[in-house]
Amino acid sequence: MKRKLASVRARTTIAATAVVTAALVAAGIAVLLVLRSNLTGEADRLADEAARQVAVQIAAGAPYGELRLPDGEDNPVQVVDRDGRLLAATPGLTRISGTGVPGVTPVPPPPSDRDDDSDADDPRAGQVGKDVWHGAGSATVDGETHPYRFARIEATDPRDETVLVYAGAPLDAGEDALHAAGAAMLTGLPVLLAVVAGSTWRVTRRALRPVEAIRAEMAAITASQDLSRRVPQPDSHDEVARLARTTNDTLAALEQSVLRQRRFVADASHELRSPIASLRTQLEVGAAHPHLLDIEGAVADTVRLQQLAADLLLLARLEAGERLRVTPVDLSALVRTELSRRTGDRHPVHAHIEDGVEVLGSRGHLARVVGNLVDNAQRHTRTAVTVSVRGNGTRAVVEVADDGDGVPESERERIFQPFVRLDEARSRDDGGAGLGLALARDIAVRHGGTLTVHTADPNGALFALRLPAPARAPAQGPGERAA
């Protein structure tokens, strides 16, 4: 039961039903209040008319015993003087309450009527007062008691005596209408709520059906580990369709990532197997024939294994999102230092370095980029390698060019993938493992820069490393320090 109530469909149905219930109850109460107000206003109007008809007769001088009074059940009338003495009443009226006449349950009169010694507001002789007082009470006519709304009007006869005329209008019809309306609302409310709940349940089930299909397919993909499968995508253009498209995009990216990881492991194993096999062969030969041991070859294979392991470790750390330790780096000085350390290059390196070019980054990682680019140029150039460093507005640019065969335009992105080498015919010792450019691209991206390859002038390949230059801080006065 708890699991069913925890579903989105159940919670949506409950929430929608609760909201509709609150809205209907509030609307019903408002309607009943408005209806009661209208019925009360109509009763007050009828009471006003009945009281004014009698008051007009009194103002005209009609004797109290000859007043034409309306029907007692529809409009019970009572005429009293200022002292509350009864002067006239509807035949059959035996009891009345709510008029404030002494001897019955009084209703406090308006403030203008509480001062019995003052007649400043009384109408003049032969006139009817303008102010009307309303109140609620009951009256017993011919032995039957009913609720009424009462109106009171003052009238002054030609002898200048002011009397109070009370007339009532029945509330039975209004009360019956209110009860009927309330009963109809209470009867229809459960039916309407059942319709709302059922409709919400059906609509929600239909709306969530694609979501359930996506969930089922994702569960099947997880169980089968087949990332080539895709979740069903509805033809609609709503949020569920966008969810399906995003899920399929995520599956495609995950599939590509897994494929790259598998290729990476396979390529790494392949690259490691060659030097390990060569080193093992040399050691086995050396163990059997010590005089044939190739010490230099074993050392070379060991160095190659060490470099390959270091490159693999660095590439794995970069792809795992290793946090760089960023500091200001004098890029000009860094490139000069790296070039000065290269003593075994086969071809000369021509440097064109602009002084004062600075970037923010990791000195060790940037040195690795420069070294990898120069190593790559040394393997492909015919006569010389050219390295230039310059500032270009908000960018620092390092360019490494060779005069080899260049890189075909169709391969200029693929060469930055791990273990990709375009010169498969060359020996692995000369060609490297194919990790240098991949590392250089990753390091450039991690520094917020780019690494691209173009055609050198007049021929060959030109690798351009562009890094964001730090913003120049304003000059500081003595004793000031940057925050």
Side-chain angles (χ1 to χ4, degrees), residues 22 64 117 135 227 261 312 362 390 401:
Y64 296 112
D117 296 334
L227 296 178
Q261 187 71 20
L312 289 173
S362 169
R390 68 178 187 277

Side-chain angles (χ1 to χ4, degrees), residues 55-67:
V56 168
Q57 296 179 53
I58 295 174
Y64 296 112
E66 299 178 5
L67 294 175

Side-chain angles (χ1 to χ4, degrees), residues 52-371:
R52 194 167 296 278
Q53 290 176 3
V54 177
V56 168
Q57 296 179 53
I58 295 174
Y64 296 112
E66 299 178 5
L67 294 175
R68 296 188 304 273
L69 302 178
D71 183 72
E73 292 185 358
D74 293 336
N75 301 109
V77 175
Q78 180 185 34
V79 181
V80 297
D81 61 9
R82 284 292 188 182
D83 295 328
R85 291 190 296 269
L86 181 65
L87 302 177
T90 298
L93 176 64
T94 58
R95 183 179 180 276
I96 189 169
S97 66
T99 61
V101 177
V104 296
T105 303
V107 174
S112 61
D113 295 334
R114 291 180 181 176
D115 188 1
D116 294 336
D117 296 334
S118 176
D119 57 358
D121 296 330
D122 291 345
R124 289 181 294 179
Q127 292 185 352
V128 178
K130 296 180 180 180
D131 295 333
V132 181
W133 169 87
H134 296 100
S138 63
T140 302
V141 181
D142 296 333
E144 296 183 2
T145 302
H146 300 282
Y148 289 87
R149 288 287 297 178
F150 289 102
R152 187 192 68 188
I153 297 179
E154 296 180 349
T156 303
D157 60 16
R159 297 185 302 275
D160 200 21
E161 292 184 4
T162 301
V163 297
L164 306 177
V165 180
Y166 293 91
L171 292 175
D172 288 342
E175 295 292 338
D176 292 342
L178 285 175
H179 293 159
M185 291 180 181
L186 291 177
T187 303
L189 181 61
V191 177
L192 184 58
L193 292 180
V195 172
V196 171
S199 301
T200 304
W201 181 268
R202 291 174 61 86
V203 171
T204 307
R205 180 177 62 182
R206 183 173 181 178
L208 294 179
R209 190 175 298 159
V211 178
E212 175 60 23
I214 294 173
R215 186 209 63 79
E217 184 63 23
M218 287 296 295
I221 292 173
T222 303
S224 64
Q225 297 184 353
D226 182 7
L227 296 178
S228 63
R229 299 173 61 174
R230 297 293 180 265
V231 300
Q233 184 173 320
D235 297 332
S236 60
H237 300 280
D238 55 7
E239 292 82 356
V240 177
R242 292 197 293 270
L243 172 64
R245 287 194 294 269
T246 303
T247 302
N248 285 334
D249 293 342
T250 302
L251 288 172
L254 184 59
E255 181 184 15
Q256 293 299 320
S257 177
V258 171
L259 291 177
R260 286 196 302 269
Q261 187 71 20
R262 291 173 179 172
R263 285 197 300 266
F264 181 84
V265 172
D267 292 338
S269 301
H270 183 72
E271 293 293 336
L272 288 171
R273 184 168 52 188
S274 178
I276 291 176
S278 175
L279 182 60
R280 178 180 178 179
T281 300
Q282 295 178 47
L283 293 177
E284 289 177 348
V285 171
H289 309 282
H291 61 283
L292 298 178
L293 179 61
D294 184 7
I295 299 296
E296 294 182 359
V299 172
D301 286 337
T302 303
V303 171
R304 183 180 176 187
L305 278 174
Q306 184 180 12
Q307 292 176 345
L308 183 57
D311 288 344
L312 289 173
L313 179 60
L314 177 58
L315 187 61
R317 293 208 312 262
L318 290 175
E319 291 184 351
E322 179 187 36
R323 188 173 181 179
L324 298 178
R325 302 178 63 180
V326 177
T327 59
V329 177
D330 186 340
L331 191 60
S332 303
L334 182 146
V335 174
R336 287 194 182 97
T337 301
E338 289 302 313
L339 295 181
S340 66
R341 292 176 179 174
R342 305 182 66 88
T343 57
D345 288 339
R346 294 179 295 181
H347 304 285
V349 178
H350 303 299
H352 304 282
I353 300 175
E354 178 183 314
D355 293 330
V357 179
E358 294 184 353
V359 296
L360 290 176
S362 169
R363 184 178 183 86
H365 286 71
L366 294 177
R368 174 67 69 90
V369 173
V370 174

Side-chain angles (χ1 to χ4, degrees), residues 400-452:
V400 179
D402 61 68
D403 57 359
D405 296 331
V407 180
E409 189 171 355
S410 60
E411 302 288 344
R412 289 183 180 179
E413 282 299 318
R414 198 170 73 89
I415 61 173
F416 292 107
Q417 298 178 9
F419 303 108
V420 171
R421 292 175 295 185
L422 304 182
D423 46 0
E424 294 293 344
R426 295 183 292 107
S427 66
R428 292 186 180 273
D429 293 336
D430 292 337
L435 288 176
L437 294 180
L439 282 172
R441 167 67 72 85
D442 284 352
I443 293 173
V445 172
R446 292 295 305 278
H447 282 76
T450 60
L451 177 60
T452 55

